[in-house]
């Protein structure tokens, strides 16, 4: 492993100021947040702003499929249900993020070594890790693409003369 990769910390590869949602955010609002921000997941924060969970497009799609309605045929997840008519009767209550979120978020601190973050992602089979401060407030997010970018960049640098 190059010394550069060994020295990298979570703060060096994270996206700062992640887009966050609350447990009471509806799934339709969540889909709109994902689409508007071009993201596939977000930390879920409590009323004080502390990370309590993570929610992803996979959670959203899984819930939609498990509802028995099949896979959405909309152009985007945020359009799901827009074609539903007013006279259609829904037997399930309005779903919120708290109904589909992963309530045991994997978090790290800004000083966590980047290689440890990559190992956590592989071991836990997850695509995002929230970077938090000592009070559990989100300061960044690291996705699997962020980790790949580091290795891709270092591989290109090693190939240069």
């Amino acid at each position: 492993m190059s010394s550069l990769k060994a020295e990298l910390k979570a703060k060096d590869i994270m996206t700062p100021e992640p887009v966050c949602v609350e447990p009471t955010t509806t799934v339709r609002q969540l889909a709109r947040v994902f689409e508007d921000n071009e993201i596939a997941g977000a930390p879920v924060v409590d009323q004080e702003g502390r990370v309590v969970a993570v929610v992803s497009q996979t959670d959203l799609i899984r819930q939609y499929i498990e509802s028995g309605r099949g896979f959405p045929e909309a152009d985007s997840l945020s359009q799901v249900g827009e074609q539903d008519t007013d006279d259609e009767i829904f037997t399930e209550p309005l779903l919120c993020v708290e109904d589909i979120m992963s309530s045991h978020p994997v978090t790290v601190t800004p000083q966590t070594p980047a290689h440890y973050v990559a190992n956590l992602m592989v071991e836990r089979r997850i695509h995002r890790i929230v970077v938090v401060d000592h009070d559990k407030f989100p300061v960044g997010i690291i996705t699997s693409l962020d980790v790949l970018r580091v290795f891709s960049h270092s591989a290109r640098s090693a190939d240069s003369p």
Side-chain angles (χ1 to χ4, degrees), residues 20-112:
C20 299
V21 296
E22 296 177 350
T24 56
T25 303
T26 67
V27 292
R28 182 166 295 156
Q29 290 169 330
L30 175 66
R32 176 63 62 195
V33 166
F34 286 168
E35 185 175 329
D36 289 349
N37 293 282
E38 297 179 348
I39 58 175
V44 181
V45 295
D46 63 15
Q47 292 177 340
E48 288 81 35
R50 290 183 175 88
V51 175
V52 295
V54 174
V55 68
S56 69
Q57 280 184 345
T58 302
D59 298 323
L60 190 58
I61 292 168
R62 183 181 303 118
Q63 177 60 42
Y64 195 83
I65 291 172
E66 288 175 359
S67 72
R69 297 179 73 190
F71 194 78
E73 293 185 22
D75 291 334
S76 71
L77 288 174
S78 64
Q79 293 175 340
V80 170
E82 285 183 4
Q83 296 81 17
D84 297 331
T85 61
D86 290 335
D87 60 341
E88 186 174 349
I89 299 172
F90 293 100
T91 57
E92 60 186 87
L94 185 62
L95 290 174
C96 294
V97 167
E98 63 192 349
D99 299 315
I100 66 170
M101 65 189 190
S102 301
S103 58
H104 299 290
V106 177
T107 62
V108 296
T109 69
Q111 294 303 317
T112 302

